[in-house]
Amino acid sequence: QVQLVESGGGLVQAGGSLRLSCAASGRTFSNYRMAWFRQAPGKEREFVAVISWSGDNTYYADFVKGRFTISRDTAKNTVNLQMNSLKPEDTAVYYCAAKYGGSWPTNMSSYNYWGQGTQDTVSS
């Protein structure tokens, strides 16, 4: 069974940084696409970033380009999201998601596996 468990969320001041980690288990993730989504209060879940398990391809939502970096550590079976220059509007529950191969989707319905989310709160 595929398990995705997020960690690293918390409370941070605007301009600060957080590093999220998604621990992936239950499968060999070669050829998988690993993504981060987020959902702010009163808003729909939205795409943040995606990376191939091989690490050779990444894609970011426009609103995080230059501030967030997605990476993976195959030795630890983790997918990370380094978030810098955080803004109050980044406050959300952040979710890890995964799908096998194919395209590089930014829509929720394309992903088969999801974590339970971790809360990030950015204060001013």
Side-chain angles (χ1 to χ4, degrees):
Q1 297 180 351
V2 172
Q3 297 284 331
L4 303 175
V5 181
E6 303 94 337
S7 62
L11 176 64
V12 66
Q13 294 181 347
S17 298
L18 285 172
R19 186 174 180 85
L20 306 182
S21 182
C22 171
S25 63
R27 188 162 298 181
T28 298
F29 289 93
S30 299
N31 298 314
Y32 271 69
R33 284 82 169 92
M34 312 295 293
W36 287 95
F37 287 75
R38 71 184 188 184
Q39 187 166 19
K43 296 184 178 180
E44 296 184 350
R45 196 170 298 184
E46 63 183 349
F47 169 79
V48 176
V50 62
I51 188 170
S52 60
W53 189 255
S54 65
D56 58 350
N57 288 291
T58 58
Y59 181 75
Y60 296 90
D62 287 342
F63 58 83
V64 301
K65 288 181 179 178
R67 299 191 299 125
F68 293 7
T69 302
I70 189 170
S71 63
R72 89 283 180 268
D73 186 336
T74 57
K76 295 183 172 65
N77 265 33
T78 60
V79 180
N80 304 308
L81 186 68
Q82 179 67 45
M83 305 187 295
N84 299 324
S85 301
L86 285 164
K87 307 173 182 178
E89 52 263 43
D90 294 319
T91 295
V93 176
Y94 284 73
Y95 298 89
C96 182
K99 72 175 292 290
Y100 179 80
S103 63
W104 297 88
T106 60
N107 57 300
M108 288 177 52
S109 61
S110 293
Y111 289 84
N112 299 320
Y113 309 106
W114 292 85
Q116 294 300 306
T118 184
Q119 176 71 54
D120 296 330
T121 302
V122 184
S123 65
S124 59

